[in-house]
């Protein structure tokens, strides 16, 4: 960890606003127009060179930096700082042609060829050598360039390779992990189906096989792949840091992206940055965006982060790409800022005329600057200047939502009781009611220090270490409130089922245990009732639990589980633990969250004022009195209260104290009407 961060970038610039710039796609006369238009739009950062390997190194060992010199000069003269990319995400065809062993191979043994991008094996020494040579020359050339403000390593790391080179690297990684074959055979449970390994050379990545592949082999391959990508990232980063210790380094994450364990990566970077492309066709995307932004902020330990890529309008890679209505760009950008971003950038500055992304939206569309899309970009660039007081401010959360990549990998292995219980749906199912209440949430690793949080929510911890289970137990004993979702505490870090009644390592703290996981018939509601007899429905999943000190807050109604507990609440030490043995429908899920928050003494940022709202204001899911009006998001960042209306209708929101909207300079007080897509950044009136 260096002392560098977003503050290095925002110093003297304020909030960052910009986008990917690919001048190599355009004749030089366009570059000067671009620089002038960027300046007029308030752009202060351009990501340059992400896909320029072939342009910089047209033949092995040859360098052509002249064009890039001119681009950096032009941008610098226009007051646009440069996020200079190491162009190693897309090797030129010559690499794969001359050294086909650098190309990635899928699990069926098929080579993934050049003609697209990302075609490299992260374990390839030849790729590594070529990439680092290029990065070294790039860093040497631009180390002292005044435009250089940020290094962008690679792009969206996520390559998975099953080739022979990767196989050897996997073996080396396994040898480090297990020491000897006996340890590996034990961890992988290779007595099952006669899979015992007698020689390291026999071990392969999980290639395509006749039937289900060993789940621990696959779990370790997920771990290995994440580590291999990280090792390459770090190798490039180290070259850069050695030459420019004053310039922060980042790479672009992809939110809840399964192949890479971002908890393990985040500390390697100076700035945590994310690419985020919400689907306008998904009615839940505002809450999914909030969850993603909270994750990215949390990966950086709460420090300001950078939204490095998003789309001004439609993307081109969904089967049917919905555009964004007027005002949406602004709303989405300010949502990221409200949740801790100190900068918002887009893919890309100028829309491509050719190539696979010719129909992707851009800050400057094909139709040019005289367009609604570009007018919105300019207006937003200007507006962001008004938000200078937010720069560097933190978001304080009382609730931690646990997420763990190895648990995600292990949970979703084939051959499980149901493929209808999965990590991201569970995470979102517990996050959404919190978001609806304006309760601010950090994401956290299960083994992190949780003592500062009033409430910890673990939507699913299928795989749990002893250390995490003990920490959670101590957390509750010390006065915390813990909520654990179904199918948790099942497996150890090798993915082996923990025997005994489940969730074995959490049994004591939860005050109850189970003997069987019982998926419910498809499309049939699971009938339950709260302890007062009020019915509710759930779906997909049930468990046969018994009480061991907890109170059954809800029970199942039908069949073998009639009157058996569905939800447990257990006073343990100075705190309370909850366990949920089903997947409740949205309304009872909201009710459950309400009760847990009451135990924890947590209320949303607007709740005091919201208590005075009328029923008509709070008719959303669950109808809970503490829910925000439908579509409304509320979050505090430092002294500022952000209110956003993602809904299609005007919403009425009570304001706790008289405040000034930084975006308009207007004074607001009492009950406020938020138009659709409106955003307010309220500063208390001093
Ligand atoms: C990702 C990539 C970009 C571009 C966009 C398109 O974020 O990093 O290069 O392909 O997707 O949405």
């Amino acid at each position: 960890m260096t002392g560098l961060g977003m503050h290095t970038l925002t110093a003297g610039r304020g909030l960052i606003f910009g986008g990917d710039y690919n001048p190599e796609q355009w004749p030089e006369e366009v570059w000067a127009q671009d620089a002038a238009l960027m300046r007029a739009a308030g752009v202060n950062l351009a990501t340059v060179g992400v896909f320029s390997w072939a342009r910089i190194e047209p033949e092995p060992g040859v360098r052509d930096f002249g064009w890039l010199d001119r681009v950096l000069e032009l941008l610098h003269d226009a007051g646009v700082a440069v996020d200079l990319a190491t162009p190693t995400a897309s090797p030129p065809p010559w690499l794969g042609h001359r050294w086909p062993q650098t190309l990635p191979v899928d699990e069926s043994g098929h080579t993934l060829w050049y003609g697209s991008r990302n075609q490299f094996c992260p374990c390839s020494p030849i790729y590594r050598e070529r990439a680092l040579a290029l990065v070294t020359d790039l860093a040497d050339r631009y180390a002292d360039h005044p435009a250089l403000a940020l290094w962008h390593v690679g792009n969206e790391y996520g390559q998975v390779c099953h080739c022979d080179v990767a196989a050897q690297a996997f073996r080396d990684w396994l040898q480090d992990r297990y020491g000897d074959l006996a340890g590996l055979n034990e961890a992988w449970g290779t007595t099952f189906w006669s899979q015992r390994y007698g020689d390291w050379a026999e071990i392969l990545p999980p290639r395509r096989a006749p039937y289900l592949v060993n789940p621990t082999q696959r779990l370790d391959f997920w771990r290995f792949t994440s580590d291999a990508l990280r090792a390459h990232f770090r190798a490039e980063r180290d070259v850069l840091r050695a030459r420019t210790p004053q310039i922060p380094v980042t790479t672009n994450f992809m939110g809840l992206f399964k192949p890479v364990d971002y908890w393990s990566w985040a500390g390697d970077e100076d700035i945590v940055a994310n690419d985020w492309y919400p689907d306008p066709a998904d009615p839940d995307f505002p809450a999914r965006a909030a969850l993603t932004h909270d994750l990215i902020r949390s990966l950086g330990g709460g420090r300001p982060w950078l939204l490095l890529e998003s789309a001004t309008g439609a993307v081109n890679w969904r089967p049917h790409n919905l555009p964004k209505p007027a005002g949406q760009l602004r709303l989405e950008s300010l949502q990221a800022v409200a949740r801790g971003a100190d900068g918002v950038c887009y893919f890309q500055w100028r829309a491509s005329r050719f190539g696979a992304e010719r129909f992707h939206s851009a800050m400057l569309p094909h139709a040019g600057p005289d367009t609604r899309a570009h007018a919105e970009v300019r207006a937003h660039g200007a507006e962001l200047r008004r938000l200078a007081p937010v720069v560097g401010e933190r978001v304080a959360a009382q609730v931690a939502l646990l997420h763990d990549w190895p648990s995600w990998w292990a949970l979703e292995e084939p051959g499980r009781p149901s493929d209808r219980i999965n990590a991201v749906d569970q995470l979102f199912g517990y996050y959404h009611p919190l978001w609806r209440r304006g309760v601010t949430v950090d994401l956290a690793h299960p083994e992190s220090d949780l003592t500062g949080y009033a409430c910890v929510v673990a939507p699913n911890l299928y795989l749990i270490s002893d250390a995490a289970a003990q920490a959670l137990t101590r957390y509750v004993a010390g006065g915390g409130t813990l909520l654990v979702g179904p199918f948790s505490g099942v497996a150890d870090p090798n993915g082996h089922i923990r025997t005994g009644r489940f969730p074995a390592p959490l049994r004591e703290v939860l005050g109850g245990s189970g003997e069987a996981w019982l998926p419910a018939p498809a499309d049939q509601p699971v009938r339950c009732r709260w302890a007062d007899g009020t019915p509710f429905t759930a779906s997909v999943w049930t468990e046969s639990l018994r009480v061991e000190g907890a109170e059954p807050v809800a029970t199942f109604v039908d069949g073998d589980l009639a009157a058996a507990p569905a939800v447990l609440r257990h006073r343990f030490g100075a705190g309370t633990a909850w366990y949920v043995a089903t997947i409740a429908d949205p309304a009872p899920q909201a009710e459950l969250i309400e009760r847990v928050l009451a135990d924890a003494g947590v209320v949303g940022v607007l709740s005091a004022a919201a208590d005075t709202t009328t029923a008509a204001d709070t008719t959303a899911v669950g109808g809970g009195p503490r829910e925000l009006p439908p579509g409304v998001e509320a979050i505090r960042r430092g002294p500022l209260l952000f209110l956003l209306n993602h809904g299609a209708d005007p919403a009425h929101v009570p304001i706790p104290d008289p405040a000034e909207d930084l975006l308009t300079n207007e004074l607001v007080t009492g009950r406020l009407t938020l138009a659709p897509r409106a955003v307010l950044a309220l500063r208390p009136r001093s």
Side-chain angles (χ1 to χ4, degrees):
M1 186 72 75
T2 65
L4 305 174
M6 272 309 287
H7 58 279
T8 320
L9 210 52
T10 52
R13 295 190 183 93
L15 287 177
I16 295 301
F17 184 59
D20 278 57
Y21 182 40
N22 296 306
E24 63 273 23
Q25 296 177 12
W26 298 92
E28 285 209 32
E29 57 269 23
V30 176
W31 301 354
Q33 293 169 28
D34 282 327
L37 286 167
M38 283 185 196
R39 186 187 192 107
V43 165
N44 55 15
L45 187 77
T47 297
V48 178
V50 178
F51 297 108
S52 64
W53 189 339
R55 181 79 192 253
I56 295 176
E57 190 175 11
E59 294 170 41
V62 172
R63 298 285 184 262
D64 177 4
F65 283 120
W67 67 277
L68 190 53
D69 294 351
R70 295 193 290 283
V71 169
L72 262 59
E73 259 347 284
L74 270 171
L75 292 173
H76 182 60
D77 289 348
V80 178
V82 170
D83 167 26
L84 189 55
T86 68
T88 51
S90 191
W94 57 252
L95 187 77
H97 179 67
R98 295 195 191 198
W99 292 282
Q101 65 272 44
T102 61
L103 294 169
V105 172
D106 71 12
E107 60 180 359
S108 299
H110 295 133
T111 298
L112 306 181
W113 294 96
Y114 46 86
S116 176
R117 67 175 182 186
N118 305 337
Q119 73 285 357
F120 64 87
C121 165
C123 306
S124 162
I126 297 172
Y127 166 77
R128 171 82 58 102
E129 188 192 318
R130 290 275 158 189
L132 293 186
L134 184 59
V135 172
T136 304
D137 290 353
L138 187 79
D140 283 342
R141 187 162 188 107
Y142 297 109
D144 298 320
H145 199 290
L148 178 65
L150 178 65
W151 286 115
H152 180 298
V153 177
N155 195 59
E156 297 192 332
Y157 279 98
Q159 291 72 16
V160 181
C161 182
H162 296 71
C163 75
D164 291 343
V165 174
Q168 186 52 49
F170 186 38
R171 288 176 203 124
D172 295 344
W173 183 93
L174 291 165
Q175 230 158 348
D176 271 357
R177 185 173 176 86
Y178 296 112
D180 56 23
L181 277 175
L184 177 135
N185 280 308
E186 174 74 22
W188 285 17
T190 56
T191 54
F192 185 81
W193 283 351
S194 184
Q195 291 170 352
R196 185 183 166 278
Y197 293 97
D199 185 334
W200 287 100
E202 295 164 3
I203 297 170
L204 292 173
R207 290 184 179 161
R208 192 155 171 222
Y211 188 44
L212 299 177
V213 173
N214 183 313
T216 313
Q217 179 184 1
R218 286 177 45 99
L219 174 60
D220 275 349
F221 192 67
W222 284 108
R223 289 181 168 124
F224 157 76
T225 296
S226 180
D227 285 357
L229 291 165
R230 181 180 175 211
H232 185 80
F233 164 78
R234 287 162 63 115
E236 289 198 16
R237 179 207 62 181
D238 291 348
V239 169
L240 301 171
R241 275 198 181 153
R243 284 159 182 79
T244 55
Q246 78 287 6
I247 301 292
V249 181
T250 192
T251 186
N252 40 355
F253 285 172
M254 291 173 279
L256 286 161
F257 176 66
K258 191 170 174 183
V260 178
D261 179 354
Y262 288 145
W263 289 123
S264 73
W265 281 54
D268 292 339
E269 307 182 283
D270 299 309
I271 291 172
V272 178
N274 196 46
D275 295 350
W276 172 244
Y277 293 97
D279 183 356
D282 173 4
D284 284 329
F285 82 78
R288 289 188 202 283
L291 170 62
T292 306
H293 299 338
D294 289 348
L295 169 69
I296 299 301
R297 184 187 67 246
S298 304
L299 289 169
R303 294 181 307 147
W305 55 281
L306 177 61
L307 180 55
L308 199 46
E309 284 185 36
S310 51
T312 56
V315 299
N316 68 308
W317 40 263
R318 295 193 172 101
H320 186 65
N321 298 288
L322 294 193
K324 294 181 182 176
Q328 189 66 25
L329 171 154
R330 172 179 188 267
L331 176 63
E332 290 180 17
S333 165
L334 293 175
Q335 184 187 24
V337 172
R339 293 192 172 267
D342 266 0
V344 176
C345 300
Y346 296 89
F347 179 85
Q348 59 179 331
W349 163 253
R350 185 184 275 275
S352 303
R353 288 172 301 162
F354 45 74
E357 292 178 327
R358 65 206 178 285
F359 289 113
H360 198 288
S361 63
M363 299 170 86
L364 185 61
H366 294 129
D370 183 18
T371 47
R372 187 206 90 195
H374 189 66
E376 281 195 43
V377 165
R378 276 193 189 204
H380 192 53
E383 184 176 37
L384 284 178
R385 303 293 124 229
R386 294 174 161 269
L387 283 179
V390 85
V391 173
E393 293 289 353
R394 300 284 186 121
V395 173
Q398 285 181 285
V399 176
L401 189 71
L402 303 188
H403 175 65
D404 179 41
W405 265 265
S407 181
W408 183 3
W409 299 329
L411 168 70
E412 296 178 5
E413 273 306 304
R416 56 195 165 124
S418 168
D419 66 1
R420 294 173 186 213
I421 184 162
N422 66 60
V424 173
D425 285 352
Q426 282 298 108
L427 205 57
F428 188 68
Y430 283 77
Y431 181 83
H432 190 252
L434 294 162
W435 182 80
R436 290 283 295 113
R437 281 159 177 71
V439 170
T440 311
V441 171
D442 282 342
L443 279 284
H445 186 274
E447 287 180 24
S448 61
D449 178 11
L450 301 168
T451 46
Y453 294 102
C455 184
V456 172
V457 179
N460 176 266
L461 278 181
Y462 168 83
L463 181 157
I464 190 169
S465 66
D466 291 342
Q470 285 155 12
L472 290 174
T473 303
R474 278 196 307 274
Y475 167 77
V476 178
T481 300
L482 172 69
L483 171 61
V484 180
F487 207 34
S488 287
V490 175
D492 70 13
N494 287 330
H496 295 198
I497 302 301
R498 291 173 175 278
T499 54
R501 297 182 65 85
F502 64 79
L506 296 172
R507 188 172 164 183
E508 187 194 1
V509 67
L510 295 176
S513 70
E515 66 175 67
W517 304 287
L518 307 165
D523 308 324
Q524 242 185 58
V526 172
R527 297 199 305 148
C528 306
R529 61 169 66 103
W530 297 109
D532 69 2
T534 313
F536 70 89
T537 49
S539 63
V540 173
W541 190 261
T542 68
E543 300 178 2
S544 63
L545 297 185
R546 79 176 175 221
V547 164
E548 293 169 341
E551 66 181 283
V553 172
T555 49
F556 293 112
V557 171
D558 299 311
D560 293 346
L561 291 182
V567 179
L568 299 175
R569 174 176 180 269
H570 188 217
R571 299 287 312 173
F572 180 80
T576 309
W578 293 69
Y579 183 68
V580 187
T582 188
I583 300 177
D585 289 351
Q589 180 75 354
E591 163 100 32
L592 171 75
I593 294 291
E594 188 72 59
R595 293 184 188 200
V596 173
L597 291 177
D599 272 348
V602 171
V603 293
V605 290
L606 276 188
S607 75
D611 282 346
T612 64
T613 57
T614 64
D617 289 333
T618 56
T619 49
V621 176
R626 292 180 190 275
E627 287 188 344
L628 296 164
V632 171
E633 174 168 356
I635 182 160
R636 280 189 200 284
R637 181 171 177 198
L640 299 182
L641 170 63
F642 282 86
L643 296 175
L644 306 94
N645 184 5
H646 299 277
D649 300 313
H652 307 292
V653 180
I655 302 300
D657 302 301
E660 182 200 359
D661 178 16
L662 279 188
L663 296 164
T664 58
N665 284 342
E666 275 173 24
L667 185 68
V668 298
T669 179
R671 206 168 119 98
L672 188 85
T673 299
L674 278 178
R677 286 191 277 283
V679 183
L680 272 68
L682 300 178
R683 179 162 56 184
R685 218 165 165 231
S686 45

